[in-house]
Amino acid sequence: MPDMFSFIKKKLGWGQPAPEPVSPAPAAPTTAPAPASTPAPAAVPSAPVPAASTAAPVALPAQSADTAEVTATAPEVQAKPDRRSWMDRLKAGLRKTGSSIAQVFTGTQIDDALYEELEAALLMADAGVSATEHLLEDLKRRVKEAKATHPDKVKGLLIDAITELLSPLEKPLEIGHHTPTVIMVAGVNGAGKTTSIGKLTRHLADHGASVLLAAADTFRAAAREQLAVWADRNRVQIVSQEGGDPAAVTFDAVTAGKARGCDVVIADTAGRLATQLHLMDELKKIHRVIGKAMEGAPHEVLLVVDGNTGQNALAQVKAFDETLGLTGLVVTKLDGTAKGGVLAAIALWSRQRGTPVPVYFIGVGEGIEDLQTFNAREFARALLE
């Protein structure tokens, strides 16, 4: 039985491979059931809520086997144009990273010079030494097995090699196993953390999930106000305290989310560098307090990293994982850099870690639609085609 977020994801077209150009197929006659509205629950006095617009929480429908079958057919057909549009934006966003790699295959011979140029291009894209060596070794094996004789064929085999390396990072964010599902979000200043929370909230709210935001970033000026703007824009609830303790804010938010029957509680935390030990200790405290508010929470610990930072992004992932035990990543701003190869470095580290840390979402622009689920083959194709 698919999880609730898979139901939302399929309606959105998130995570679905970009379709090949084909003749338009008629939509299946059966449509997915609309989520049933429920009245807004009474406010909880212990959880202070500022005057942001709130919408009545809407419970996602339980998925029977019949519902699961429907969501995999008709809505997927409707989502194809949107996913194709996303593929176009992804290609445009990765052009800075992919152009230097793709031009390696413009020659007529497969020789040592080609592999040397490819090695340099991957290193320049911030794939890192280890991931570059891994990809080159894998590519040479594939070329030998396929008896490839032209660089164009090698480029296709590189797409396959990158896809295989990145595939463990491809996993849907599961919503619905817990009520509420509590998501703690961390990241350094400027990574796009609060904006990514706003975009994710919009996607969830637009497709039936009731979301409550916790404004636990009490350090950055106007952080609370920025999150309140997203709450108002997305018509979701928010818990915040002016100058309040971040751990107390998250505790109140989780308590309120449980009382109000919210599907998701998302906690925004203050941006910090991994070298700021006192702030990293505070993250640990927030994590512990969330667990006191709800047993087993937080259910997801996400790190938002800026794709512009290249190998530094990998260093951030390692440091925050050591402190919090990450369950997923959001990689933003891949359109503003030639360092998108860092995903290969993250994938190799994740493989060595034993349990992969999935990349739930990637971003290539400022728009709501520019944050989408990560798909390994889409990424590899957009990089090189």
Side-chain angles (χ1 to χ4, degrees):
M1 180 180 295
D3 58 74
M4 288 187 179
F5 192 78
S6 292
F7 170 72
I8 297 173
K9 178 168 67 70
K10 286 172 183 173
K11 289 183 71 176
L12 285 166
W14 287 11
Q16 302 300 323
E20 301 295 334
V22 293
S23 300
T30 309
T31 57
S37 298
T38 61
V44 179
S46 61
V49 182
S53 298
T54 60
V58 181
L60 293 175
Q63 291 189 61
S64 65
D66 292 337
T67 304
E69 182 178 353
V70 170
T71 58
T73 54
E76 187 177 356
V77 173
Q78 296 168 357
K80 283 184 179 181
D82 291 339
R83 200 64 188 180
R84 188 181 296 118
S85 174
W86 160 247
M87 190 65 179
D88 292 338
R89 294 196 303 277
L90 183 59
K91 286 181 179 180
L94 293 177
R95 187 172 292 122
K96 292 181 180 178
T97 299
S99 58
S100 60
I101 301 175
Q103 70 182 12
V104 170
F105 304 101
T106 57
T108 59
Q109 292 184 328
I110 303 174
D111 52 18
D112 290 342
L114 182 147
Y115 289 116
E116 288 173 4
E117 290 179 26
L118 178 57
E119 180 180 17
L122 289 170
L123 291 172
M124 287 296 292
D126 257 17
V129 174
S130 297
T132 296
E133 291 177 348
H134 173 88
L135 285 172
L136 287 174
E137 182 178 338
D138 187 24
L139 179 61
K140 289 177 181 178
R141 176 186 61 80
R142 291 172 186 271
V143 169
K144 183 177 180 180
E145 290 177 354
K147 297 182 172 58
T149 58
H150 195 276
D152 270 348
K153 177 66 173 177
V154 178
K155 183 168 73 170
L157 294 173
L158 180 59
I159 290 175
D160 292 340
I162 293 175
T163 299
E164 184 176 294
L165 176 61
L166 298 184
S167 287
L169 304 183
E170 184 182 321
K171 178 185 175 185
L173 175 61
E174 296 182 349
I175 301 297
H177 292 298
H178 310 276
T179 304
T181 297
V182 181
I183 302 174
M184 178 180 176
V185 185
V188 304
N189 287 320
K193 174 170 50 65
T194 303
T195 301
S196 295
I197 290 173
K199 292 178 180 180
L200 175 58
T201 300
R202 176 64 173 272
H203 284 304
L204 290 168
D206 280 353
H207 290 81
S210 57
V211 182
L212 187 148
L213 302 180
D217 182 352
T218 59
F219 285 92
R220 182 168 63 88
R224 183 169 59 94
E225 290 76 8
Q226 182 186 1
L227 196 66
V229 169
W230 277 108
D232 185 64
R233 185 183 301 172
N234 296 328
R235 298 182 179 276
V236 301
Q237 305 170 72
I238 181 171
V239 170
S240 67
Q241 298 174 3
E242 185 173 358
D245 177 69
V249 173
T250 53
F251 183 90
D252 287 346
V254 174
T255 302
K258 290 167 60 181
R260 300 173 189 181
C262 294
D263 296 307
V264 184
V265 173
I266 304 178
D268 186 16
T269 62
R272 64 205 68 212
L273 297 175
T275 54
Q276 296 172 310
L277 298 182
H278 64 293
L279 293 180
M280 295 298 279
D281 286 341
E282 184 186 77
L283 275 182
K284 292 181 182 178
K285 177 184 175 183
I286 293 173
H287 192 284
R288 289 195 304 271
V289 169
I290 290 175
K292 292 179 180 178
M294 180 177 181
E295 186 177 357
H299 308 107
E300 294 285 348
V301 181
L302 308 186
L303 179 68
V304 179
V305 293
D306 181 348
N308 281 302
T309 58
Q311 284 291 303
N312 189 38
L314 176 59
Q316 292 172 29
V317 171
K318 291 179 178 179
F320 279 88
D321 181 56
E322 184 177 349
T323 299
L324 297 173
L326 297 177
T327 63
L329 304 175
V330 179
V331 183
T332 64
K333 306 181 184 180
L334 285 169
D335 56 317
T337 180
K339 299 181 178 181
V342 69
L343 280 181
I346 291 174
L348 190 61
W349 166 80
S350 193
R351 175 182 294 187
Q352 295 166 348
R353 178 179 182 265
T355 304
V357 178
V359 175
Y360 286 136
F361 307 100
I362 57 174
V364 292
E366 295 295 328
I368 294 288
E369 69 281 0
D370 293 324
L371 182 74
Q372 295 287 341
T373 47
F374 173 71
N375 179 286
R377 181 157 290 277
E378 281 183 353
F379 185 88
R381 287 180 54 202
L383 195 64
L384 292 170
E385 288 184 351

